[in-house]
Amino acid sequence: MAISKAVKDTIDSVGKFTSVDMTYDPKWFINFMDEANCLPDHEIINRKLAEVLEPLDYKSIIELGCGTGNDVRYLLSIYPDVAEIVGVDLSEAMIAEANSRIIDGSRIRFEKGDGKHLHFEDNVFDGARAKLVLMHCDSIDATLSELIRVVKPNGKVAIFDHDFDGLLIDHSDVKLTREIVERLSNKAKNNWSGRQLFRRFLDHGLVNVTVEAISVNLTLGVLRSMILGQEDIAHLSKDEQAWWEELVIKNEKGLFFASFIGFLVVGTK
């Protein structure tokens, strides 16, 4: 059934990734993902998420929260021996966009699905990946259980998630900066997902669990989208307008710095 515009949400931060189709403008999320995926540190994360699954002579991999399919296409470009990658996303808009970007679809399959209730049989995939997904899920444990269930014995599960309290911004107003970061963190469904992954992997019986901390250096545009979504800076308080103006000036002078800490965790079933 179509969703009435009257019940659709406005986009006030990146914390609405589990309700993309319930917003007025799903395309905003697609554009944000394209911008974020261009960050050099995201390229490093993609590469390392692939490396931790090696040797990648696998027949099949599941990518949960595939979004526009950027990571799926990247995997196929560097590992030609992988037979198939199945990308799953909760959003119909994301799946439609991912399918529209397929050039060679012989080894790619995108489909809509809920990570808490994957329709696949047990022990189907040789490896599983999820980047920036569990931090948005309604239930991390249920989603992680499903990922582990569909992976074959001795298969690997690799996940990267940010820790929202690990957003670092160089600004002269320390107090307001902390308030803004805390407000963003509180909007996230699972703001401490990154720091909890190691424990959760062990709790779910994965072995040989390793953790690597990776911080993503942000552009001013990505930071603004993360914190404000589509909100107009002109609608903010005078103090917060001045806060953003300082960042704009620093950016113009080449002095802007913000970084977002996350954790890449891999374990074996």
Side-chain angles (χ1 to χ4, degrees), residues 35 39-40 216-226 251 256 258:
E35 185 179 8
L39 296 173
V216 176
N217 294 338
L218 307 174
T219 63
L220 179 58
V222 169
L223 179 70
R224 185 195 182 285
S225 295
M226 283 175 53
N251 191 57
F256 170 82

Side-chain angles (χ1 to χ4, degrees), residues 201-268:
F201 270 47
L202 294 176
D203 286 346
H204 283 267
L206 293 174
V207 298
N208 301 323
V209 178
T210 61
V211 182
E212 180 177 0
I214 304 174
S215 198
V216 176
N217 294 338
L218 307 174
T219 63
L220 179 58
V222 169
L223 179 70
R224 185 195 182 285
S225 295
M226 283 175 53
I227 294 176
L228 296 180
Q230 292 179 310
E231 188 175 358
D232 192 334
I233 290 177
H235 296 158
L236 302 176
S237 68
K238 289 184 179 180
D239 286 345
E240 292 199 25
Q241 288 183 40
W243 187 87
W244 281 103
E245 181 61 28
E246 178 179 318
L247 293 182
V248 170
I249 293 171
K250 282 187 173 182
N251 191 57
E252 292 171 349
K253 294 180 177 180
L255 300 175
F256 170 82
F257 181 80
S259 199
F260 200 11
I261 297 172
F263 299 92
L264 190 159
V265 184
V266 60
T268 303

Side-chain angles (χ1 to χ4, degrees), residues 47-68:
R47 174 173 54 79
K48 291 194 173 187
L49 270 171
E51 289 174 352
V52 295
L53 291 178
E54 290 180 346
L56 269 176
D57 52 356
Y58 301 139
K59 294 180 180 178
S60 62
I61 297 172
I62 181 172
E63 177 87 25
L64 183 64
C66 63
T68 62

